[in-house]
Amino acid sequence: MGFDGLVVVSDPYLQRRFTQADLRVLQAQYAALRDASPSGRLRIRDLPAAISRAATIAAKGDAEKENSAPEPDPAPSLTDDEWASVLKAVARADERPHLDASFELFLRVYAEMQLRLKVAGGVGSEKKVGGGIARSSSSSAVAFLTAATTTLLHTISESEKASYVGHINAYLAEDPFLKSALPIDPATDHIFHVTKDGVLLCKLINLAVPGTIDERAINTKRVLNLWEKNENHTLCLNSAKAIGCTVVNIGTQDLAEGRPHLVLGLISQIIKIQLLADVNLKSTPQLVELVEDSKEMEELMSLSPEKILLRWMNFQLKKGGYQRTVTNFSSDIKDSEAYACLLNVLAPECSAKPSAMSVKDLLHRARLILEHADRMGCKRYLTPKDIIDGLPNLNLAFVAHIFQKRNGLSIQMKQVSFVDGLSDDAQVSREERSFRLWINSLGISTYINNVFEDLRNGWVLLEMIDKIAPGSVNWKMANRPPIKLPFKKVENCNQVLKIGKELKFSLVNIAGNDIVQGNKKLILAFLWQLMRYNILQLLRNLRFHSNGKEIADNDILAWANKKVKDSGKHHSRMESFKDRSLSSGTFFLDLLSAVEPRVVNWSLVTKGEKDEEKQMNASFIISVARKLGCSIFLLPEDILEVNQKMMLTLTASIMYWYLKRPTSHSLDLENGSSCETSSTTTSDDCASESSYDDNTAR
């Protein structure tokens, strides 16, 4: 589960200039500069020295995390003339040098620097320093800022746009609501207009992972107002996170404005998830044919779908006598030789004269490859030129579609003993999924494909802890991947458990080696405590609401019951987070309606008495909560079975959203009551994202 901080700026230019993700990062940098000042104030005249000093500190921090022995060189500063020019360009008449630098002035300084970097054509040359990289241009004083945001230069691939539009036209052509808007002309930018109401993106998510969004929650009137569009965008972004998309730098306003690079990037991720949905052992157990022993099985389970696809491709190429190993979807297949061999192995009956390998011209050869794929019934995700240009995203899509159509694996699965360990019980599988998606939402550098495999070296756990409890990790004592020696992995995991004990986690009978060995029960137990700690800390950090007091599970329970009771639903109540009556879904619908009366369409709600009615309510609850702005990773089954952990995270997410609103409510922890106050105070929550905060700031 993840949450965001709402960052409000009054200047319309700054609202348009920065996404909420950018603003959160920059707000944290601004606060760090101010707190580092000896006087606790950040005056306008102090900005040059403060930013230069912060750049040097950031460089040292990066070197420490990289386990670099040498000290990095100090980051050079802008010249006095350059600084004077920047401040003159952005400071207003009433912003005198001796006055405090506001956050908005800080943003204007940063925006001006980005503009100058863009005009100059980049951030300058780079040189290796102590295992890291230091900028050697005069702009390097702001490297600690520019590295954190991604709004500098953006281009889109016309080939990718055309391919994704073709995919949308093919797969959503029969959708009742979208029929009037399709097909979209791939030669124009109309796709960025069609997505502005959020409906197409929500439908695309359901195409990738069916059932993710309860379509009753999508606003599908022909003419939507701004609020309704915003709800669709919020639902889209939170649902995209829930299927594994990375949406750190995308806000609802970006979708509303149809910003091409962000919209296309999101569409690309969603389509990729759809095409790779079967590239795993659970969906395609025949992939076991690729391995020979239990060690290879462990390796296969830890691979990303892209890596599994490469492994499958090389497995088939070996059958055809292909001598080279394909290691990427770009340079290794530019000459189409690998494609020619692959298609001949999978569908020799679809080959034709002349054969692709008899043709020397690469463009002609690539054209013959696509014609062969056409005869197999495969969709074209790329053109002959895209193949010889080595466009990785489109080549990946093409190979994934070939895998979907004809994977060439044995129908009768290989009977080997090490396959027995593949099956998990349903709850373990669901918990692994929830934690995996939550971890990937934290914004750490490592993307997780399998919790039980990817956490075993301890490094990802240290990254997570560093996000959730900043400063608690001793990076000098951490071992960075790749780690070959087992005891180095144990050292990382021992530090993880040491920090866990400092955070007062219950860690009885668990050792670092248990994580290294992939003990599922203990890994899930630790992750739950880390998630719960994150939730409670985020709520506690709303000091305006909690008065700095510790918040416990019972406080969340009391708050929820009080909100529902105050809304007039006197008979709706939960006794605990394992109250079996929660399976009907009615309490959570009452709670959602209590915090935002217009968000629940009661004509779509069932009584929750029969199993089918409970299923419908559970699905609706999750989509309505995401539409509201809650970033949650549970499944309807978690509500139906009253999974105590997921009930807590769902309730806490709703509570957090409610308390974070600009017109907020302070929390009385003695009786669970809240009183309305007016505040624009926000906090920076580096551990997570929440789409609602992106919405309301615009």
Side-chain angles (χ1 to χ4, degrees):
M1 181 171 121
F3 304 101
D4 277 320
L6 171 63
V7 184
V8 180
V9 291
S10 60
D11 187 332
Y13 166 72
L14 296 176
Q15 292 173 6
R16 295 191 303 271
R17 183 68 181 79
F18 298 107
T19 67
Q20 271 291 306
D22 293 338
L23 288 172
R24 284 190 294 275
V25 172
L26 291 169
Q27 185 188 56
Q29 300 288 8
Y30 170 76
L33 292 177
R34 185 188 57 209
D35 294 344
S37 171
S39 64
R41 299 175 62 189
L42 183 61
R43 295 182 175 86
I44 295 175
R45 66 189 178 203
D46 298 331
L47 273 175
I51 290 178
S52 298
R53 183 170 60 250
T56 302
I57 293 171
K60 289 181 178 179
D62 288 344
E64 179 182 339
K65 188 171 178 178
E66 293 288 338
N67 272 338
S68 304
E71 285 290 325
D73 296 335
S77 302
L78 298 179
T79 66
D80 291 342
D81 288 343
E82 287 173 326
W83 271 116
S85 175
V86 169
L87 292 176
K88 182 179 179 181
V90 302
R92 295 169 179 162
D94 58 342
E95 291 174 327
R96 302 294 183 184
H98 66 282
L99 297 177
D100 288 354
S102 67
F103 177 52
E104 293 201 10
L105 173 62
F106 175 76
L107 291 177
R108 294 201 300 275
V109 168
Y110 175 64
E112 178 67 16
M113 288 178 171
Q114 278 201 321
L115 180 61
R116 294 181 184 217
L117 290 175
K118 184 174 181 178
V119 171
V123 293
S125 59
E126 298 177 338
K127 63 177 182 177
K128 289 284 183 179
V129 177
I133 293 178
R135 304 295 198 268
S136 59
S137 75
S138 61
S139 314
S140 60
V142 291
F144 82 112
L145 290 176
T146 56
T149 57
T150 57
T151 56
L152 187 54
L153 295 172
H154 301 294
T155 59
I156 64 170
S157 164
E158 290 296 324
S159 292
E160 288 192 22
K161 182 185 72 173
S163 177
Y164 301 148
V165 167
H167 180 95
I168 290 168
N169 287 339
Y171 281 94
L172 292 175
E174 299 304 316
D175 184 89
F177 182 83
L178 296 173
K179 268 187 176 182
S180 60
L182 300 179
I184 300 168
D185 185 353
T188 70
D189 286 339
H190 191 55
I191 179 65
F192 306 119
H193 174 75
V194 175
T195 56
K196 284 185 177 181
D197 64 7
V199 178
L200 186 146
L201 292 173
C202 287
K203 299 273 189 177
L204 196 60
I205 288 171
N206 265 359
L207 189 62
V209 183
T212 299
I213 296 176
D214 188 320
E215 296 203 2
R216 294 176 296 169
I218 304 174
N219 297 321
T220 54
K221 292 189 305 185
R222 284 299 167 190
V223 179
L224 300 177
N225 60 38
L226 292 177
W227 180 272
E228 291 166 333
K229 291 179 182 178
N230 194 65
E231 286 184 329
N232 282 349
H233 295 142
T234 307
L235 174 60
C236 165
L237 289 177
N238 280 315
S239 299
K241 278 193 284 186
I243 65 171
C245 293
T246 301
V247 297
V248 173
N249 288 322
I250 308 176
T252 56
Q253 187 66 16
D254 300 318
L255 300 183
E257 293 175 3
R259 294 184 181 177
H261 67 286
L262 295 176
V263 172
L264 199 65
L266 180 58
I267 290 173
S268 172
Q269 290 188 74
I270 297 170
I271 291 177
K272 179 179 173 183
I273 288 170
Q274 178 188 348
L275 292 175
L276 294 174
D278 293 332
V279 188
N280 59 75
L281 282 163
K282 184 175 181 180
S283 301
T284 310
Q286 294 84 359
L287 282 166
V288 72
E289 193 175 342
L290 306 185
V291 303
E292 295 295 335
D293 54 38
S294 58
K295 185 176 181 181
E296 287 190 7
M297 174 62 75
E298 287 182 5
E299 181 185 349
L300 187 68
M301 290 175 64
S302 68
L303 294 179
S304 66
E306 296 95 316
K307 296 291 186 184
I308 295 176
L309 198 61
L310 280 172
R311 188 156 181 168
W312 165 80
M313 187 174 183
N314 284 306
F315 176 79
Q316 300 296 352
L317 290 175
K318 188 176 180 181
K319 289 182 184 178
Y322 192 70
Q323 298 299 312
R324 289 181 288 164
T325 299
V326 176
T327 61
N328 58 63
F329 292 105
S330 180
S331 59
D332 286 0
I333 47 183
K334 281 184 175 183
D335 60 10
S336 297
E337 290 184 9
Y339 277 144
C341 180
L342 178 66
L343 297 185
N344 281 329
V345 169
L346 296 177
E349 75 281 3
C350 295
S351 59
K353 301 281 187 178
S355 68
M357 289 309 299
S358 67
V359 175
K360 292 185 178 180
D361 180 74
L362 293 183
L363 196 62
H364 187 191
R365 184 186 296 170
R367 189 176 298 113
L368 293 175
I369 292 299
L370 295 181
E371 289 173 0
H372 191 158
D374 285 343
R375 291 190 289 273
M376 291 172 59
C378 294
K379 288 184 173 60
R380 289 197 178 194
Y381 282 91
L382 71 180
T383 66
K385 187 176 184 301
D386 296 333
I387 293 178
I388 64 175
D389 286 346
L391 297 185
N393 286 343
L394 298 188
N395 277 299
L396 170 64
F398 183 52
V399 176
H401 191 63
I402 292 172
F403 179 89
Q404 283 186 343
K405 282 291 182 180
R406 192 175 303 195
N407 60 40
L409 298 173
S410 174
I411 297 176
Q412 291 187 339
M413 201 172 78
K414 199 175 185 180
Q415 297 300 312
V416 285
S417 59
F418 52 83
V419 178
D420 297 339
L422 284 178
S423 59
D424 287 320
D425 64 61
Q427 184 167 341
V428 168
S429 182
R430 287 206 308 273
E431 287 194 15
E432 187 277 336
R433 172 195 173 277
S434 296
F435 288 130
R436 169 167 37 87
L437 294 169
W438 169 66
I439 293 168
N440 286 331
S441 78
L442 296 179
I444 62 175
S445 61
T446 308
Y447 191 87
I448 299 302
N449 294 292
N450 183 302
V451 164
F452 303 125
E453 295 298 322
D454 295 348
L455 301 190
R456 289 171 61 175
N457 63 18
W459 179 264
V460 173
L461 287 168
L462 291 173
E463 284 190 296
M464 292 169 59
I465 291 170
D466 191 50
K467 282 283 185 180
I468 294 168
S472 58
V473 176
N474 183 350
W475 289 109
K476 290 183 178 179
M477 300 297 292
N479 302 299
R480 187 181 183 87
I483 307 172
K484 294 184 178 180
L485 298 175
F487 79 90
K488 292 288 186 181
K489 298 178 184 179
V490 174
E491 287 179 349
N492 281 352
C493 294
N494 283 340
Q495 183 178 177
V496 166
L497 297 180
K498 177 177 178 291
I499 298 170
K501 291 175 181 176
E502 292 169 357
L503 298 178
K504 297 182 170 52
F505 291 0
S506 175
L507 298 172
V508 180
N509 296 326
I510 178 172
N513 193 53
D514 293 318
I515 299 175
V516 175
Q517 295 300 319
N519 186 307
K520 295 180 180 180
K521 181 179 179 181
L522 296 179
I523 289 173
L524 291 177
F526 182 85
L527 288 176
W528 164 241
Q529 293 186 78
L530 193 59
M531 177 187 272
R532 179 177 174 276
Y533 175 84
N534 184 30
I535 296 166
L536 297 181
Q537 283 299 108
L538 289 170
L539 288 169
R540 179 183 178 276
N541 287 341
L542 296 175
R543 297 182 187 280
F544 193 84
H545 314 294
S546 68
N547 300 317
K549 296 179 181 177
E550 295 293 336
I551 291 181
D553 298 5
N554 286 337
D555 298 315
I556 299 171
L557 182 72
W559 172 85
N561 282 325
K562 181 94 171 43
K563 287 304 300 177
V564 171
K565 182 179 180 181
D566 289 349
S567 72
K569 303 290 181 67
H570 298 286
H571 301 293
S572 184
R573 178 181 179 81
M574 65 171 166
E575 298 302 325
S576 69
F577 293 114
K578 53 185 178 181
D579 186 336
R580 298 305 303 175
S581 68
L582 294 177
S583 66
S584 71
T586 54
F587 177 82
F588 286 116
L589 289 165
D590 288 337
L591 178 59
L592 288 164
S593 180
V595 298
E596 179 52 75
R598 68 177 301 280
V599 79
V600 177
N601 183 345
W602 287 101
S603 67
L604 302 176
V605 175
T606 72
K607 293 182 180 180
E609 295 174 350
K610 301 177 182 178
D611 289 345
E612 183 180 356
E613 291 177 339
K614 291 179 179 181
Q615 174 75 34
M616 292 177 67
N617 281 353
S619 175
F620 194 51
I621 288 166
I622 293 171
S623 289
V624 168
R626 288 175 179 154
K627 180 178 178 178
L628 187 68
C630 301
S631 186
I632 50 178
F633 304 103
L634 73 165
L635 291 171
E637 290 79 5
D638 293 313
I639 297 176
L640 297 175
E641 297 174 12
V642 191
N643 182 321
Q644 182 179 357
K645 299 172 185 176
M646 294 299 109
M647 298 304 93
L648 172 59
T649 61
L650 174 59
T651 311
S653 180
I654 298 170
M655 179 181 179
Y656 187 87
W657 172 85
Y658 179 74
L659 295 178
K660 285 284 288 185
R661 299 188 306 171
T663 300
S664 46
H665 298 67
S666 59
L667 182 65
D668 180 355
L669 295 182
E670 298 301 321
N671 55 27
S673 64
S674 59
C675 56
E676 187 168 328
T677 57
S678 179
S679 171
T680 57
T681 303
T682 63
S683 64
D684 177 71
D685 304 312
C686 64
S688 45
E689 278 83 37
S690 164
S691 302
Y692 179 80
D693 299 329
D694 290 358
N695 308 340
T696 53
R698 307 287 179 158

